[in-house]
Amino acid sequence: MSWTDERVELLKKMWAEGQSASQIAKELGGVTRNAVIGKVHRLGLSNRVGGTPEPKTKAAEPAPKPEARPAAQAKPARAEAKAQPQRTEPAAPQPTPARKPIIPAGQPLPPQPSAGEISPEALASVREIEKKARRISLMELTERTCKWPIGDPATEDFWFCGLAAQPGKPYCEAHVGVAFQPMSSRRDRRR
DNA sequence: CCCTGATTCGC
DNA sequence: GCGAATCAGG
């Protein structure tokens, strides 16, 4: 496939939205993430808004390439610093230094089990699992990490399970078990 | 191991 | 210009 106008448009759009190269590639189809990254660079929109928060590495370019372009002084200026797109933030009263562009967000997360609704066995197993959870952060979630939330989102005691998720499922095996319980299992154990 | 973007370089 | 291979990092 080639970089038609439309495809480049979508690329720009998604890249601006903060989508990863692989996601963009998947969306476009017919290209790999490498192709996307390559194109992004060629388009000169490599650095995403905000400057270079990442210390990155290799700041120096020891590559001694004294290639003196004799004929015609090409355009040395390329990726000029044009980092001021600045999205018009409606208002950010809250001192939110760390902004989250957009979260891939897959399936909606189920509500945390409000104790008493699920079987004691399941509850017990979840607690067990939570002790083994990788405690990954939001950014570390991928399509194959368990997205089971643990803790209170409003506090620091919040993280995601992060264990290997079942292919096609948003959670690890254990959490899939407690997340998708047939209603038959919530048999009223009233007494 | 999964993933990320960055760079290089033959085509 | 393109993008696979490779690199460097998380």
Side-chain angles (χ1 to χ4, degrees), chain A residues 6-62:
Chain A
E6 295 173 28
R7 291 166 67 75
V8 174
E9 283 299 315
L10 183 55
L11 164 59
K12 287 180 178 175
K13 182 195 169 200
M14 293 183 76
W15 185 259
E17 288 175 2
Q19 301 283 319
S20 71
S22 61
Q23 285 181 300
I24 297 174
K26 201 189 301 173
E27 181 72 28
L28 288 170
V31 288
T32 64
R33 75 184 193 86
N34 283 305
V36 170
I37 292 174
K39 186 59 178 176
V40 162
H41 281 213
R42 265 171 256 125
L43 288 173
L45 33 72
S46 51
N47 51 14
R48 307 218 211 210
V49 186
T52 311
E54 296 167 52
K56 271 320 49 180
T57 57
K58 277 62 195 187
E61 184 118 61

Side-chain angles (χ1 to χ4, degrees), chain A residues 62-181:
Chain A
K65 269 208 158 221
E67 288 294 316
R69 309 264 94 148
Q73 49 276 87
K75 42 226 70 200
R78 226 228 183 335
E80 283 305 300
K82 55 178 59 173
Q84 269 100 307
Q86 221 44 79
R87 6 195 109 257
T88 309
E89 299 289 347
Q94 245 58 48
T96 311
R99 98 279 275 153
K100 301 241 148 336
I102 72 107
I103 160 175
Q107 296 64 46
L109 297 171
Q112 223 17 319
S114 48
E117 284 296 325
I118 58 178
S119 67
E121 303 78 51
L123 259 181
S125 66
V126 204
R127 286 202 117 20
E128 200 54 40
I129 301 163
E130 294 183 2
K131 291 193 298 188
K132 298 193 297 185
R134 287 179 54 213
R135 296 199 173 195
I136 63 175
S137 69
L138 190 58
M139 299 79 80
E140 299 175 296
L141 289 177
T142 72
E143 291 175 4
R144 55 190 68 191
T145 57
C146 179
K147 304 172 187 58
W148 189 268
I150 300 174
D152 187 339
T155 71
E156 292 298 292
D157 299 317
F158 183 65
W159 59 81
F160 292 90
C161 172
L163 293 176
Q166 298 291 84
K169 298 285 181 56
Y171 310 115
C172 62
E173 178 161 25
H175 282 136
V176 164
V178 298
F180 306 126
Q181 279 187 49

